[in-house]
Amino acid sequence: MKRPLLILFFLFNALAFASAQDFPFGAVTTEEMNMKNYAKDTSAHAVVLQEFGKSSINIGSDDNLKQFYEYHVKIKIFDAKAFNKGTVKIMLYSNDKNDAYEDVSNIKGVTYYKDDNGFTQKAELEDKKVYPVKENKYWASHKFAMPGLRDGCIIEYKYRVESFRWYKLRSWEFQDDIPKLYSEYEVHIPAFFNFNASIKGYLKLTKNTSSVESTCFEARGAKADCSLINYGMADIPAFKEDDYMTSPKNFLSAINFELVDWQSPYDGSKHKETKEWRDIDYSLKTEPNFGGQLKRKGLLKDKVAAIIAGKPDDLAKAKAIYQHWQKWFKWDGFWSIYSESISKAIDKHSGDIADINLSLATALSTAGLNTEVVLLSTRDNGALNTLYPVIGDFDYVVAKVNIGDQAYLLDATDPLLPFGVLPFKCLNDKGRVFSLDKPSYFMDMSLPQREKSSYILDVTLQDDGKLKGTLVNYSTGYEAYKRRVAIKKFNSIDEYVENLNGKLPKWKFTKSEVRNLDSLDMPVVEQYDVEIKVYDKLGETKKATFSPYYIHRMTTNPFKLNERSFPIDMGMASEDRYAITVHLPAGYMVDTPPQTMAISIPNNGGKYISSYEPGDNSFSFIYLTQFNKSVYGTEEFPSIKEFYNKIIQSQKTEMVLKKK
């Protein structure tokens, strides 16, 4: 009688093992230990040997819906440049307001290494070496460092997270900054819940299977089957970042999930989650911490009246309110699109992004100005999903005031931002414009703001081999903002100049003047008396080489990749102009002038120009680099990379001075 039960027991466990795709913990092979590099990418400092993740929705011990997430990885580390892979940080969402939190458990870790005699040893992670950290009011973490790291070691760790956020099914990134031999994600979704899955990136799945798990979910008598889905990818190349790109998560090969609708297993009620924009509009307008704050005009009536008193037009009123808000508030460092209370923030003179900018929008509206707000996703947060409205995609909010046919976007969290200029982090794809009385719409966040710098160096070459004269730098647009930020980091202009002297050892700034530092709508003007050491003893040579590229000489191409599958996103158009005039000592002349050239980026994308003009015992040289677009498509990458190569090559050439 017992034999059939025993057979059924082993059959059940065999089936369970067959459906589980995790790999055994604590096993390494001789081949893995002896790996010297990864054959498909010998430049890699580490490679993921195996990676497995699993997410499931089920009932927790507190009888509430939970998401259970398991992670397990084994990594071969070839050298010390990849030791950072041994430092692990598990982020956990923690909402103190309603005592909801995520919890991590079952943390295990081991490092395998060869001792001095060539034998494989292991060092296990101790529980006391796992440190819980409160990051901020929304996030906590558990941190640990894998023990015994050395060249050629293998690290392996796993953990389990229990989350109240069952509705936010974990995403999975197949790609990382190191290559992977294999990565797999397993998802268990009860029939009560309907998710959309979307795959990002250009790599293709090598495994995509689905099956039905019978009666895998039960809650208070309600039962359901589950969809078991496995996504796998083999031979995954490392994702290599390049300059001028937005968040890597926009381009990494990954899979994301979005809850479409669900039925409560407790009472059978049905809920729709994926909404249209009109649903989002209504939700935001009726949300006390969003639309409710924008309606509080009475709160600011007297304050705004005093600020705009005597202002002749709407633009002057808007600027006065904006500048007052910049001075009134100090940003507390937190990001949010919701404000619990703009009145409390005003009283405290402090608040998060939403506190400051929603109250700014309310103040502008109180002044009778046509005002909206723009919800956006910052560059590090990733691009918005324009197909499906997802409030969680937004992480930033700014005010938008419309005056005549001109729209101004305003962020009062930074006292150094000029009126109508947004911080670089906000210049990301599209934003969603909301108002209390109109439907929302998308707007392009590639704004007309520019950054521009102009350097004028007028110097005389002395017999002692030094250039002496003046340097004037004009910074306008966003470049002026960056210059103000750089200068304001120091206690005084003298400290700022001292820092410049330290960075440029051949330069000496003997006298300095900075104008318009606090006039945000004006260019920042820096003027210096300079000495630049060029030669040890000029008078002892009949010929001398001379490079006119004394300021921001380009020596390295920012684009390292041979191919690029994502656009070049510079954030804004730019222009850098350099003009140098050199007065030669008596008896010297230019024997070989500098190379001049004109290079352009196709379709009026930009240009580089250098020009030489001889004078009476002197010469002038000008070079200019201009980018006319904020974003260049992947098809333009070869042209721009070659554009930089040509500039670098041209700036290697030197002119020759000789005695008459």
Side-chain angles (χ1 to χ4, degrees):
M1 294 292 293
K2 293 182 179 179
R3 186 176 178 82
L5 290 175
L6 189 61
I7 292 173
L8 287 172
F9 174 80
F10 281 113
L11 181 60
F12 176 82
N13 280 278
L15 290 171
F17 181 77
S19 67
Q21 302 300 313
D22 196 5
F23 55 94
F25 186 88
V28 294
T29 67
T30 301
E31 291 76 11
E32 290 171 339
M33 290 302 301
N34 291 336
M35 282 182 71
K36 301 300 181 184
N37 57 42
Y38 177 47
K40 294 185 177 181
D41 183 358
T42 56
S43 66
H45 302 288
V47 61
V48 172
L49 301 173
Q50 289 175 286
E51 182 183 43
F52 175 80
K54 175 181 175 181
S55 283
S56 60
I57 298 174
N58 222 312
I59 301 299
S61 58
D62 58 359
D63 199 34
N64 289 319
L65 283 171
K66 296 290 179 67
Q67 178 184 175
F68 298 92
Y69 173 71
E70 299 174 19
Y71 182 76
H72 183 190
V73 68
K74 184 164 63 172
I75 305 173
K76 174 73 177 185
I77 296 177
F78 298 119
D79 56 54
K81 290 184 178 180
F83 282 0
N84 63 307
K85 293 298 175 184
T87 300
V88 183
K89 184 176 182 179
I90 306 168
M91 295 300 298
L92 303 168
Y93 186 76
S94 176
N95 190 342
D96 292 338
K97 188 168 63 174
N98 56 12
D99 295 325
Y101 59 91
E102 295 177 329
D103 184 51
V104 64
S105 61
N106 299 344
I107 299 175
K108 293 175 63 177
V110 61
T111 301
Y112 307 91
Y113 63 92
K114 286 189 175 183
D115 62 20
D116 295 338
N117 297 316
F119 295 107
T120 298
Q121 306 291 345
K122 66 178 182 179
E124 295 187 358
L125 175 66
E126 301 178 37
D127 290 344
K128 64 181 181 181
K129 297 294 185 180
V130 179
Y131 303 101
V133 177
K134 183 68 175 177
E135 301 284 344
N136 54 51
K137 64 182 179 180
Y138 297 113
W139 291 95
S141 69
H142 276 59
K143 297 180 180 179
F144 58 88
M146 296 296 294
L149 297 184
R150 61 183 68 186
D151 290 0
C153 70
I154 293 175
I155 62 171
E156 182 179 16
Y157 60 87
K158 65 188 304 185
Y159 58 85
R160 182 175 188 262
V161 175
E162 180 178 326
S163 172
F164 68 95
R165 300 200 295 173
W166 60 267
Y167 47 85
K168 197 172 181 65
L169 202 61
R170 287 261 185 165
S171 298
W172 183 261
E173 291 184 351
F174 292 100
Q175 229 174 346
D176 199 355
D177 60 354
I178 60 173
K180 299 179 181 180
L181 297 184
Y182 189 70
S183 176
E184 182 165 337
Y185 190 36
E186 181 177 296
V187 182
H188 301 251
I189 305 175
F192 287 108
F193 313 99
N194 181 23
F195 285 85
N196 274 334
S198 59
I199 298 175
K200 279 187 175 182
Y202 64 94
L203 301 178
K204 296 187 180 300
L205 294 171
T206 53
K207 181 178 184 180
N208 186 0
T209 63
S210 60
S211 59
V212 176
E213 293 179 293
S214 180
T215 320
C216 71
F217 178 90
E218 182 174 356
R220 299 179 188 173
K223 299 180 180 180
D225 297 339
C226 289
S227 295
L228 168 58
I229 312 170
N230 288 85
Y231 305 95
M233 194 176 286
D235 297 327
I236 308 166
F239 181 83
K240 296 182 179 180
E241 296 188 29
D242 211 5
D243 282 357
Y244 301 112
M245 63 178 291
T246 53
S247 173
K249 73 170 87 171
N250 291 333
F251 316 107
L252 286 167
S253 289
I255 187 160
N256 302 311
F257 298 89
E258 180 194 3
L259 182 61
V260 178
D261 52 51
W262 59 286
Q263 181 178 351
S264 171
Y266 301 121
D267 59 18
S269 58
K270 296 182 179 181
H271 306 267
K272 180 184 176 183
E273 295 298 327
T274 300
K275 307 179 188 301
E276 298 178 359
W277 280 111
R278 62 185 179 184
D279 301 317
I280 301 296
D281 291 353
Y282 177 78
S283 175
L284 288 171
K285 289 172 185 176
T286 57
E287 166 60 50
N289 293 340
F290 192 86
Q293 302 302 313
L294 294 173
K295 296 173 184 175
R296 303 189 66 183
K297 296 182 182 180
L299 171 70
L300 302 175
K301 185 176 181 180
D302 293 339
K303 185 178 184 67
V304 169
I307 296 171
I308 65 175
K311 298 300 181 288
D313 53 43
D314 286 350
L315 183 58
K317 292 175 183 178
K319 287 185 175 182
I321 293 171
Y322 174 71
Q323 291 163 3
H324 183 91
W325 245 244
Q326 284 181 297
K327 296 173 182 177
W328 185 269
F329 276 104
K330 182 177 181 180
W331 178 41
D332 63 11
F334 288 105
W335 295 27
S336 177
I337 64 171
Y338 298 109
S339 171
E340 294 182 10
S341 173
I342 62 172
S343 61
K344 288 183 179 179
I346 290 171
D347 290 341
K348 292 192 304 180
H349 292 251
S350 174
D352 61 24
I353 298 294
D355 291 328
I356 298 172
N357 287 335
L358 289 184
S359 64
L360 171 64
T362 304
L364 293 165
S365 181
T366 302
L369 302 174
N370 180 1
T371 308
E372 301 165 306
V373 295
V374 181
L375 287 172
L376 55 90
S377 174
T378 53
R379 294 173 75 91
D380 287 342
N381 192 53
L384 294 175
N385 184 342
T386 57
L387 295 178
Y388 302 106
V390 181
I391 287 291
D393 285 353
F394 299 110
D395 68 334
Y396 211 91
V397 61
V398 298
K400 177 174 179 281
V401 61
N402 306 299
I403 300 173
D405 59 356
Q406 183 70 44
Y408 301 91
L409 298 184
L410 307 175
D411 179 5
T413 63
D414 188 334
L416 296 180
L417 276 173
F419 182 86
V421 174
L422 288 187
F424 183 75
K425 61 192 174 189
C426 293
L427 306 182
N428 183 35
D429 196 31
K430 299 183 184 300
R432 191 77 182 179
V433 183
F434 286 89
S435 67
L436 293 175
D437 55 1
K438 291 180 293 186
S440 64
Y441 59 93
F442 280 112
M443 70 169 293
D444 192 347
M445 296 307 295
S446 296
L447 304 180
Q449 64 188 54
R450 302 172 63 93
E451 53 184 2
K452 183 177 179 180
S453 61
S454 178
Y455 293 84
I456 302 172
L457 181 65
D458 191 318
V459 288
T460 299
L461 182 58
Q462 310 288 317
D463 289 332
D464 61 4
K466 292 181 180 179
L467 293 171
K468 292 185 179 181
T470 60
L471 171 66
V472 183
N473 175 21
Y474 296 89
S475 300
T476 58
Y478 199 75
E479 183 63 30
Y481 164 74
K482 292 195 296 186
R483 189 67 61 177
R484 288 185 175 95
V485 171
I487 295 173
K488 292 282 188 176
K489 288 180 180 178
F490 297 90
N491 294 322
S492 65
I493 299 296
D494 288 342
E495 285 189 15
Y496 171 69
V497 174
E498 185 178 343
N499 181 67
L500 289 179
N501 279 320
K503 288 182 176 180
L504 301 168
K506 291 187 177 182
W507 289 60
K508 184 178 180 182
F509 298 86
T510 57
K511 184 180 178 182
S512 61
E513 179 186 2
V514 178
R515 299 193 295 273
N516 302 330
L517 188 60
D518 297 314
S519 302
L520 303 189
D521 293 329
M522 299 288 289
V524 174
V525 182
E526 301 169 73
Q527 183 168 332
Y528 304 99
D529 287 355
V530 296
E531 293 181 5
I532 309 170
K533 184 178 180 181
V534 184
Y535 309 106
D536 289 331
K537 295 178 180 178
L538 177 63
E540 296 181 3
T541 180
K542 293 183 178 179
K543 281 191 175 184
T545 59
F546 182 86
S547 173
Y549 297 99
Y550 269 96
I551 310 166
H552 295 174
R553 181 176 184 175
M554 197 179 295
T555 58
T556 304
N557 195 322
F559 302 109
K560 307 296 190 298
L561 303 179
N562 293 324
E563 295 181 354
R564 180 164 166 146
S565 58
F566 43 89
I568 297 169
D569 193 325
M570 296 183 170
M572 68 190 78
S574 64
E575 179 180 301
D576 296 302
R577 181 186 297 267
Y578 308 92
I580 176 173
T581 299
V582 178
H583 305 275
L584 299 174
Y588 276 86
M589 62 176 288
V590 175
D591 184 44
T592 306
Q595 180 181 3
T596 62
M597 65 186 315
I599 320 168
S600 63
I601 300 172
N603 301 316
N604 195 33
K607 62 184 178 181
Y608 172 80
I609 296 173
S610 63
S611 64
Y612 168 79
E613 184 70 32
D616 185 12
N617 211 42
S618 67
F619 68 87
S620 296
F621 187 72
I622 296 173
Y623 52 109
L624 173 146
T625 307
Q626 186 179 84
F627 292 95
N628 297 329
K629 296 164 62 176
S630 58
V631 180
Y632 296 84
T634 54
E635 73 282 357
E636 298 177 277
F637 170 68
S639 297
I640 294 182
K641 184 175 181 179
E642 183 59 22
F643 178 74
Y644 273 97
N645 283 336
K646 289 180 178 179
I647 294 174
I648 292 168
Q649 190 60 37
S650 73
Q651 293 188 356
K652 286 181 179 179
T653 60
E654 295 182 321
M655 55 192 300
V656 177
L657 308 178
K658 74 172 185 179
K659 286 186 176 180
K660 295 179 181 178

